[in-house]
Coordinates of all heavy atoms in Angstrom, one line a residue:
M27 N 46.4 -40.6 -23.9 CA 47.6 -40.7 -24.9 C 47.4 -42.1 -25.7 O 47.1 -43.1 -25.1 CB 48.9 -40.7 -24.1 CG 50.0 -40.3 -24.9 SD 51.7 -40.6 -24.1 CE 51.3 -40.5 -22.4
K28 N 47.7 -41.9 -26.9 CA 47.6 -43.1 -27.8 C 48.7 -44.1 -27.5 O 49.9 -43.7 -27.4 CB 47.7 -42.6 -29.3 CG 47.3 -43.7 -30.3 CD 47.2 -43.0 -31.6 CE 47.0 -44.0 -32.7 NZ 48.3 -44.3 -33.4
V29 N 48.3 -45.4 -27.3 CA 49.3 -46.4 -27.0 C 50.1 -46.8 -28.3 O 49.4 -47.1 -29.3 CB 48.7 -47.6 -26.4 CG1 49.7 -48.7 -26.0 CG2 47.9 -47.3 -25.1
L30 N 51.4 -46.8 -28.2 CA 52.2 -47.1 -29.4 C 52.2 -48.6 -29.6 O 52.4 -49.4 -28.7 CB 53.6 -46.6 -29.3 CG 53.8 -45.1 -29.3 CD1 55.3 -44.7 -29.1 CD2 53.3 -44.5 -30.6
D31 N 51.9 -49.0 -30.9 CA 51.9 -50.4 -31.2 C 53.4 -50.8 -31.6 O 53.8 -50.8 -32.8 CB 51.0 -50.7 -32.4 CG 50.9 -52.1 -32.8 OD1 51.7 -52.9 -32.2 OD2 50.1 -52.4 -33.7
N32 N 54.2 -51.0 -30.6 CA 55.6 -51.4 -30.9 C 56.0 -52.6 -30.1 O 55.3 -53.1 -29.3 CB 56.5 -50.2 -30.6 CG 56.5 -49.8 -29.1 OD1 56.2 -50.6 -28.3 ND2 56.8 -48.5 -28.9
N33 N 57.2 -53.1 -30.4 CA 57.6 -54.4 -29.8 C 57.8 -54.3 -28.3 O 57.6 -55.2 -27.6 CB 58.9 -54.8 -30.5 CG 59.0 -56.3 -30.4 OD1 58.1 -57.0 -30.7 ND2 60.2 -56.8 -30.1
E34 N 58.3 -53.1 -27.9 CA 58.6 -52.9 -26.4 C 57.2 -53.1 -25.7 O 57.2 -53.7 -24.7 CB 59.2 -51.5 -26.2 CG 59.6 -51.3 -24.8 CD 59.9 -49.8 -24.4 OE1 60.0 -49.0 -25.4 OE2 59.9 -49.6 -23.2
N35 N 56.2 -52.4 -26.2 CA 54.9 -52.5 -25.5 C 54.3 -53.9 -25.6 O 53.8 -54.4 -24.6 CB 53.9 -51.5 -26.0 CG 54.2 -50.1 -25.5 OD1 54.9 -49.9 -24.5 ND2 53.7 -49.1 -26.2
L36 N 54.5 -54.5 -26.8 CA 54.0 -55.9 -26.9 C 54.7 -56.8 -25.9 O 54.0 -57.7 -25.3 CB 54.3 -56.4 -28.3 CG 53.8 -57.8 -28.7 CD1 52.3 -57.9 -28.5 CD2 54.2 -58.2 -30.1
M37 N 56.0 -56.7 -25.7 CA 56.7 -57.6 -24.8 C 56.2 -57.4 -23.3 O 56.3 -58.3 -22.5 CB 58.2 -57.3 -24.8 CG 58.8 -57.6 -26.2 SD 58.5 -59.3 -26.8 CE 59.5 -60.2 -25.7
R38 N 55.7 -56.2 -23.0 CA 55.3 -55.9 -21.7 C 53.8 -56.1 -21.4 O 53.3 -56.1 -20.3 CB 55.6 -54.4 -21.3 CG 57.1 -54.1 -21.3 CD 57.3 -52.7 -20.7 NE 56.7 -51.7 -21.4 CZ 56.4 -50.5 -20.9 NH1 56.7 -50.2 -19.7 NH2 55.8 -49.6 -21.7
C39 N 53.0 -56.4 -22.5 CA 51.6 -56.6 -22.4 C 51.3 -57.8 -21.6 O 51.9 -58.9 -21.9 CB 51.0 -56.7 -23.8 SG 49.3 -57.2 -23.8
L40 N 50.4 -57.8 -20.6 CA 50.1 -58.9 -19.8 C 49.0 -59.8 -20.3 O 48.7 -60.8 -19.7 CB 49.7 -58.4 -18.4 CG 50.7 -57.6 -17.6 CD1 50.1 -57.3 -16.2 CD2 52.0 -58.4 -17.5
C41 N 48.4 -59.4 -21.4 CA 47.3 -60.2 -22.0 C 47.6 -61.7 -22.1 O 46.7 -62.5 -21.7 CB 46.9 -59.7 -23.4 SG 46.1 -58.1 -23.4
P42 N 48.8 -62.2 -22.5 CA 49.0 -63.6 -22.6 C 48.9 -64.3 -21.3 O 48.8 -65.5 -21.2 CB 50.4 -63.7 -23.2 CG 50.5 -62.4 -24.0 CD 49.8 -61.4 -23.2
N43 N 49.0 -63.6 -20.2 CA 49.0 -64.2 -18.8 C 47.6 -64.1 -18.2 O 47.3 -64.5 -17.1 CB 49.9 -63.5 -17.9 CG 51.3 -63.6 -18.3 OD1 51.8 -64.6 -18.9 ND2 52.1 -62.5 -18.1
C44 N 46.6 -63.5 -19.0 CA 45.3 -63.2 -18.4 C 44.4 -64.4 -18.6 O 44.4 -65.1 -19.6 CB 44.8 -62.0 -19.2 SG 43.0 -61.7 -18.9
P45 N 43.5 -64.6 -17.6 CA 42.6 -65.8 -17.6 C 41.6 -65.7 -18.8 O 41.1 -66.7 -19.2 CB 41.9 -65.7 -16.3 CG 42.1 -64.4 -15.7 CD 43.4 -63.9 -16.3
T46 N 41.3 -64.5 -19.3 CA 40.4 -64.3 -20.4 C 41.1 -64.6 -21.7 O 40.4 -64.8 -22.7 CB 39.9 -62.8 -20.3 OG1 39.1 -62.7 -19.1 CG2 39.0 -62.5 -21.5
Y47 N 42.4 -64.6 -21.7 CA 43.1 -64.8 -23.0 C 43.1 -66.3 -23.3 O 43.9 -67.1 -22.9 CB 44.6 -64.4 -22.8 CG 45.4 -64.2 -24.0 CD1 45.3 -63.1 -24.8 CD2 46.3 -65.2 -24.4 CE1 46.1 -62.9 -26.0 CE2 47.1 -65.1 -25.5 CZ 47.0 -63.9 -26.3 OH 47.7 -63.8 -27.4
G48 N 42.0 -66.7 -24.1 CA 41.7 -68.1 -24.2 C 42.4 -68.7 -25.4 O 43.3 -68.2 -26.1
A49 N 41.9 -70.0 -25.7 CA 42.6 -70.8 -26.7 C 42.6 -70.1 -28.1 O 43.6 -70.2 -28.8 CB 41.9 -72.1 -26.8
C50 N 41.5 -69.5 -28.5 CA 41.5 -68.8 -29.8 C 42.5 -67.7 -29.9 O 43.2 -67.6 -30.9 CB 40.0 -68.3 -30.0 SG 39.9 -67.3 -31.5
M51 N 42.6 -66.9 -28.9 CA 43.6 -65.8 -28.9 C 45.0 -66.4 -28.9 O 45.9 -65.9 -29.6 CB 43.4 -64.9 -27.6 CG 42.1 -64.1 -27.6 SD 42.1 -63.2 -26.0 CE 40.5 -62.4 -26.2
K52 N 45.2 -67.4 -28.1 CA 46.5 -68.0 -28.0 C 47.0 -68.7 -29.3 O 48.1 -68.5 -29.7 CB 46.5 -69.1 -26.9 CG 47.1 -68.7 -25.6 CD 47.0 -69.8 -24.6 CE 46.7 -69.2 -23.2 NZ 46.1 -70.1 -22.3
T53 N 46.1 -69.5 -29.8 CA 46.6 -70.4 -30.9 C 46.1 -70.0 -32.3 O 46.8 -70.3 -33.3 CB 46.0 -71.9 -30.7 OG1 44.6 -71.8 -30.7 CG2 46.5 -72.4 -29.3
E54 N 45.1 -69.2 -32.4 CA 44.6 -68.8 -33.7 C 45.0 -67.4 -34.0 O 45.6 -67.0 -35.0 CB 43.1 -69.0 -33.9 CG 42.7 -70.4 -33.9 CD 41.2 -70.5 -34.0 OE1 40.5 -69.7 -34.7 OE2 40.6 -71.4 -33.3
E55 N 44.7 -66.5 -33.1 CA 44.9 -65.1 -33.3 C 46.4 -64.7 -33.1 O 46.9 -63.9 -33.9 CB 44.0 -64.3 -32.4 CG 44.0 -62.8 -32.8 CD 42.8 -62.1 -32.1 OE1 42.9 -61.9 -30.9 OE2 41.9 -61.7 -32.8
K56 N 46.9 -65.2 -32.0 CA 48.3 -64.9 -31.7 C 48.7 -63.5 -31.7 O 49.7 -63.0 -32.3 CB 49.3 -65.7 -32.6 CG 49.2 -67.2 -32.5 CD 50.1 -67.9 -33.4 CE 49.9 -69.4 -33.4 NZ 50.3 -70.1 -34.6
T57 N 47.9 -62.7 -31.1 CA 48.2 -61.3 -30.9 C 47.9 -60.8 -29.5 O 47.4 -61.6 -28.7 CB 47.5 -60.4 -32.0 OG1 48.0 -59.1 -31.9 CG2 46.0 -60.4 -31.7
A58 N 48.2 -59.6 -29.2 CA 47.9 -59.0 -27.8 C 48.0 -57.5 -28.0 O 47.7 -57.0 -29.1 CB 48.9 -59.6 -26.8
L59 N 48.3 -56.8 -27.0 CA 48.4 -55.4 -27.0 C 47.2 -54.7 -27.6 O 47.2 -53.9 -28.5 CB 49.7 -55.0 -27.8 CG 50.2 -53.5 -27.7 CD1 50.5 -53.1 -26.3 CD2 51.4 -53.3 -28.6
Y60 N 46.0 -55.2 -27.1 CA 44.8 -54.8 -27.7 C 44.5 -53.3 -27.5 O 43.7 -52.7 -28.2 CB 43.6 -55.6 -27.1 CG 43.7 -57.1 -27.5 CD1 44.1 -58.0 -26.6 CD2 43.4 -57.5 -28.8 CE1 44.2 -59.4 -26.9 CE2 43.5 -58.8 -29.2 CZ 43.9 -59.7 -28.2 OH 44.0 -61.1 -28.6
C61 N 45.1 -52.7 -26.4 CA 44.9 -51.3 -26.2 C 45.5 -50.4 -27.3 O 45.2 -49.2 -27.4 CB 45.4 -50.9 -24.8 SG 47.2 -51.2 -24.6
A62 N 46.4 -51.0 -28.1 CA 47.0 -50.3 -29.2 C 46.5 -50.7 -30.5 O 46.8 -50.2 -31.6 CB 48.5 -50.4 -29.2
R63 N 45.7 -51.8 -30.5 CA 45.3 -52.4 -31.8 C 43.8 -52.5 -31.8 O 43.1 -51.9 -31.0 CB 45.9 -53.9 -31.8 CG 47.4 -53.8 -31.8 CD 48.0 -55.2 -31.8 NE 49.5 -55.1 -32.0 CZ 50.3 -56.2 -32.0 NH1 49.8 -57.3 -31.7 NH2 51.6 -56.0 -32.2
N64 N 43.3 -53.4 -32.7 CA 41.8 -53.6 -32.7 C 41.4 -54.6 -31.7 O 42.3 -55.3 -31.1 CB 41.4 -54.0 -34.1 CG 41.6 -52.9 -35.1 OD1 41.4 -51.7 -34.8 ND2 42.1 -53.3 -36.3
S65 N 40.1 -54.7 -31.4 CA 39.6 -55.7 -30.5 C 39.8 -57.1 -31.2 O 40.1 -57.2 -32.4 CB 38.1 -55.5 -30.3 OG 37.4 -55.4 -31.5
T66 N 39.7 -58.1 -30.4 CA 39.9 -59.5 -30.9 C 38.8 -59.9 -31.8 O 37.7 -59.5 -31.6 CB 40.1 -60.5 -29.7 OG1 40.3 -61.8 -30.2 CG2 38.8 -60.5 -28.8
R67 N 39.1 -60.9 -32.7 CA 38.1 -61.5 -33.5 C 37.6 -62.7 -32.8 O 36.6 -63.4 -33.3 CB 38.6 -61.8 -34.9 CG 39.0 -60.6 -35.7 CD 39.5 -61.0 -37.0 NE 39.9 -59.8 -37.7 CZ 40.5 -59.9 -38.9 NH1 40.7 -61.0 -39.6 NH2 40.8 -58.8 -39.5
C68 N 38.2 -63.1 -31.7 CA 37.8 -64.3 -31.0 C 36.6 -64.0 -30.1 O 36.4 -62.9 -29.7 CB 38.9 -64.9 -30.1 SG 40.4 -65.3 -31.0
A69 N 35.8 -65.0 -29.8 CA 34.7 -64.9 -28.9 C 35.4 -64.7 -27.5 O 36.3 -65.4 -27.2 CB 33.8 -66.1 -28.9
V70 N 34.9 -63.8 -26.7 CA 35.5 -63.5 -25.4 C 34.6 -64.0 -24.3 O 33.5 -63.6 -24.2 CB 35.8 -62.0 -25.2 CG1 36.3 -61.7 -23.8 CG2 36.8 -61.5 -26.3
D71 N 35.1 -64.9 -23.5 CA 34.5 -65.3 -22.2 C 35.2 -64.6 -21.1 O 36.3 -64.9 -20.7 CB 34.6 -66.8 -22.1 CG 33.9 -67.3 -20.8 OD1 33.1 -66.6 -20.2 OD2 34.3 -68.5 -20.5
K72 N 34.6 -63.5 -20.6 CA 35.2 -62.7 -19.6 C 35.5 -63.4 -18.3 O 34.6 -63.8 -17.6 CB 34.4 -61.4 -19.3 CG 34.4 -60.4 -20.4 CD 33.6 -59.2 -20.0 CE 33.6 -58.2 -21.2 NZ 32.9 -56.9 -20.8
Q73 N 36.8 -63.6 -18.0 CA 37.2 -64.3 -16.8 C 38.1 -63.4 -15.9 O 38.8 -63.9 -15.1 CB 38.1 -65.5 -17.2 CG 37.3 -66.5 -18.1 CD 36.4 -67.4 -17.3 OE1 36.6 -67.6 -16.1 NE2 35.3 -67.8 -17.9
G74 N 38.0 -62.1 -16.1 CA 38.8 -61.2 -15.4 C 39.7 -60.5 -16.4 O 40.0 -61.1 -17.4
C75 N 40.2 -59.3 -16.0 CA 41.1 -58.5 -16.9 C 42.3 -58.0 -16.0 O 42.0 -57.5 -14.9 CB 40.4 -57.4 -17.5 SG 41.5 -56.3 -18.5
I76 N 43.5 -58.2 -16.4 CA 44.6 -57.7 -15.7 C 45.3 -56.5 -16.2 O 46.5 -56.2 -15.9 CB 45.7 -58.9 -15.4 CG1 46.1 -59.5 -16.8 CG2 45.1 -60.0 -14.5 CD1 47.2 -60.6 -16.6
C77 N 44.6 -55.8 -17.1 CA 45.1 -54.5 -17.6 C 45.5 -53.6 -16.5 O 46.5 -52.8 -16.6 CB 44.1 -53.8 -18.5 SG 43.9 -54.6 -20.1
G78 N 44.8 -53.6 -15.4 CA 45.1 -52.7 -14.3 C 46.4 -52.9 -13.6 O 46.9 -52.1 -12.9
E79 N 47.0 -54.1 -13.9 CA 48.4 -54.4 -13.3 C 49.5 -54.2 -14.3 O 50.6 -54.5 -14.0 CB 48.4 -55.9 -12.8 CG 47.4 -56.2 -11.7 CD 47.1 -57.7 -11.6 OE1 48.1 -58.4 -11.8 OE2 46.0 -58.0 -11.2
C80 N 49.1 -53.8 -15.5 CA 50.0 -53.8 -16.6 C 50.9 -52.5 -16.7 O 50.4 -51.4 -16.5 CB 49.2 -53.9 -17.9 SG 50.2 -53.8 -19.4
P81 N 52.2 -52.7 -16.9 CA 53.1 -51.5 -17.0 C 52.7 -50.6 -18.2 O 52.9 -49.4 -18.1 CB 54.5 -52.1 -17.1 CG 54.3 -53.5 -17.5 CD 53.0 -53.9 -17.0
V82 N 52.3 -51.2 -19.2 CA 51.9 -50.4 -20.4 C 50.6 -49.5 -20.0 O 50.6 -48.3 -20.2 CB 51.5 -51.2 -21.6 CG1 51.0 -50.4 -22.8 CG2 52.7 -52.1 -22.0
G83 N 49.7 -50.1 -19.3 CA 48.5 -49.4 -18.9 C 48.9 -48.3 -17.9 O 48.3 -47.2 -18.1
S84 N 49.8 -48.5 -17.0 CA 50.2 -47.4 -16.1 C 51.0 -46.3 -16.8 O 50.8 -45.1 -16.6 CB 50.8 -47.9 -14.8 OG 51.8 -48.8 -15.1
D85 N 51.9 -46.7 -17.8 CA 52.6 -45.7 -18.5 C 51.7 -44.8 -19.3 O 52.0 -43.6 -19.3 CB 53.5 -46.4 -19.6 CG 54.8 -46.8 -19.0 OD1 55.0 -46.7 -17.8 OD2 55.7 -47.3 -19.8
Y86 N 50.7 -45.3 -19.8 CA 49.8 -44.5 -20.7 C 48.5 -44.0 -19.9 O 47.6 -43.5 -20.5 CB 49.4 -45.3 -21.9 CG 50.5 -45.5 -22.9 CD1 51.4 -46.5 -22.8 CD2 50.7 -44.5 -23.9 CE1 52.4 -46.7 -23.7 CE2 51.7 -44.7 -24.9 CZ 52.6 -45.8 -24.8 OH 53.6 -45.9 -25.6
R87 N 48.5 -44.3 -18.6 CA 47.4 -43.9 -17.8 C 46.1 -44.4 -18.3 O 45.1 -43.6 -18.4 CB 47.4 -42.4 -17.6 CG 48.7 -41.9 -16.9 CD 48.8 -40.4 -16.8 NE 50.1 -40.0 -16.4 CZ 50.4 -39.2 -15.4 NH1 49.5 -38.7 -14.7 NH2 51.7 -39.0 -15.1
L88 N 46.0 -45.6 -18.6 CA 44.7 -46.2 -19.1 C 43.8 -46.5 -17.9 O 44.3 -46.9 -16.9 CB 45.0 -47.5 -19.9 CG 45.9 -47.4 -21.1 CD1 46.0 -48.7 -21.8 CD2 45.5 -46.2 -22.0
N89 N 42.6 -46.2 -18.1 CA 41.6 -46.4 -17.0 C 40.6 -47.5 -17.3 O 39.8 -47.9 -16.4 CB 40.8 -45.1 -16.8 CG 41.7 -44.0 -16.2 OD1 42.5 -44.3 -15.3 ND2 41.6 -42.8 -16.8
D90 N 40.5 -48.0 -18.5 CA 39.5 -49.0 -18.9 C 40.1 -50.4 -18.7 O 41.3 -50.5 -18.4 CB 39.0 -48.7 -20.3 CG 38.1 -47.5 -20.4 OD1 37.3 -47.3 -19.5 OD2 38.3 -46.7 -21.3
M91 N 39.3 -51.3 -19.0 CA 39.7 -52.7 -18.9 C 39.1 -53.4 -20.2 O 38.4 -52.8 -21.0 CB 39.0 -53.4 -17.7 CG 39.3 -52.7 -16.4 SD 40.8 -53.2 -15.7 CE 40.3 -54.5 -14.6
Y92 N 39.5 -54.6 -20.4 CA 38.9 -55.4 -21.5 C 39.1 -54.7 -22.9 O 38.2 -54.6 -23.7 CB 37.4 -55.8 -21.3 CG 37.2 -56.8 -20.2 CD1 36.8 -56.4 -18.9 CD2 37.5 -58.1 -20.4 CE1 36.6 -57.3 -17.9 CE2 37.3 -59.1 -19.4 CZ 36.9 -58.7 -18.2 OH 36.7 -59.6 -17.2
Y93 N 40.4 -54.3 -23.1 CA 40.7 -53.7 -24.4 C 40.6 -54.8 -25.5 O 40.4 -54.4 -26.7 CB 42.1 -53.1 -24.4 CG 42.1 -51.9 -23.5 CD1 42.6 -51.9 -22.2 CD2 41.6 -50.7 -24.0 CE1 42.6 -50.8 -21.4 CE2 41.5 -49.6 -23.2 CZ 42.1 -49.6 -21.9 OH 42.0 -48.5 -21.1
C94 N 40.6 -56.1 -25.2 CA 40.4 -57.1 -26.2 C 39.0 -57.0 -26.7 O 38.7 -57.5 -27.8 CB 40.7 -58.5 -25.6 SG 39.8 -58.9 -24.1
V95 N 38.1 -56.5 -25.9 CA 36.7 -56.3 -26.3 C 36.4 -54.9 -26.9 O 35.8 -54.8 -27.9 CB 35.7 -56.5 -25.1 CG1 34.3 -56.3 -25.5 CG2 35.9 -58.0 -24.6
I96 N 36.9 -53.9 -26.2 CA 36.6 -52.5 -26.6 C 37.6 -52.0 -27.7 O 37.3 -51.0 -28.3 CB 36.5 -51.5 -25.5 CG1 37.9 -51.4 -24.7 CG2 35.4 -52.0 -24.5 CD1 37.8 -50.3 -23.6
G97 N 38.7 -52.6 -27.9 CA 39.7 -52.2 -28.9 C 40.6 -51.1 -28.4 O 40.8 -50.9 -27.2
K98 N 41.1 -50.3 -29.3 CA 42.1 -49.3 -28.9 C 41.7 -48.3 -27.8 O 40.5 -47.9 -27.8 CB 42.4 -48.4 -30.2 CG 43.2 -49.1 -31.2 CD 43.4 -48.1 -32.4 CE 43.8 -48.9 -33.6 NZ 44.1 -48.1 -34.7
A99 N 42.7 -48.0 -27.0 CA 42.4 -47.0 -25.9 C 42.3 -45.6 -26.5 O 42.8 -45.3 -27.6 CB 43.6 -47.0 -24.9
Ligands
SF4_25 S1 46.8 -52.5 -20.8 FE1 45.9 -54.5 -21.2 S2 45.8 -54.7 -23.5 FE2 47.2 -53.0 -23.0 S3 49.2 -53.8 -23.0 FE3 48.5 -54.0 -20.9 S4 47.5 -56.0 -20.6 FE4 47.8 -55.6 -22.9
SF4_26 S1 42.5 -56.8 -22.5 FE1 42.3 -57.5 -20.4 S2 40.8 -59.1 -20.5 FE2 41.6 -58.9 -22.5 S3 43.2 -60.4 -22.7 FE3 44.1 -58.4 -22.1 S4 44.3 -58.4 -19.9 FE4 42.9 -60.0 -20.5

């Protein structure tokens, strides 16, 4: 199921708490909810992904990780 890019999902997205969510994403890009959007333009240093613990991920039955790298679910 396509993940809706809405404020409710953005507020529940765990990306900002993720160890991989680095300085570029935080201070330059300032976005998240990658499973509903495009992948990040920032360089990604994979430090783990917490999509598996995310309520949005479970609502939409997402099985992948690193949506910041792979883009929309
Ligand atoms: S599944 Fe991952 S990318 Fe999607 S809302 Fe949750 S933490 Fe963010
Ligand atoms: S998609 Fe996964 S790895 Fe990327 S910032 Fe979100 S929780 Fe972290």
Side-chain angles (χ1 to χ4, degrees):
M27 202 191 332
K28 192 168 172 263
V29 180
L30 293 178
D31 184 355
N32 62 24
N33 207 46
E34 188 195 345
N35 284 341
L36 180 61
M37 297 306 287
R38 294 191 301 157
C39 172
L40 297 184
C41 291
N43 302 322
C44 170
T46 297
Y47 195 81
C50 171
M51 292 177 182
K52 260 180 216 159
T53 61
E54 290 178 39
E55 190 165 71
K56 294 181 184 152
T57 189
L59 195 59
Y60 296 105
C61 59
R63 298 176 172 176
N64 293 323
S65 53
T66 180
R67 292 180 185 179
C68 299
V70 175
D71 179 16
K72 289 186 177 177
Q73 300 284 330
C75 176
I76 55 174
C77 288
E79 299 163 32
C80 173
V82 177
S84 46
D85 275 7
Y86 288 88
R87 299 175 191 232
L88 303 184
N89 295 315
D90 288 315
M91 308 274 266
Y92 288 102
Y93 291 100
C94 57
V95 176
I96 65 176
K98 288 181 196 179

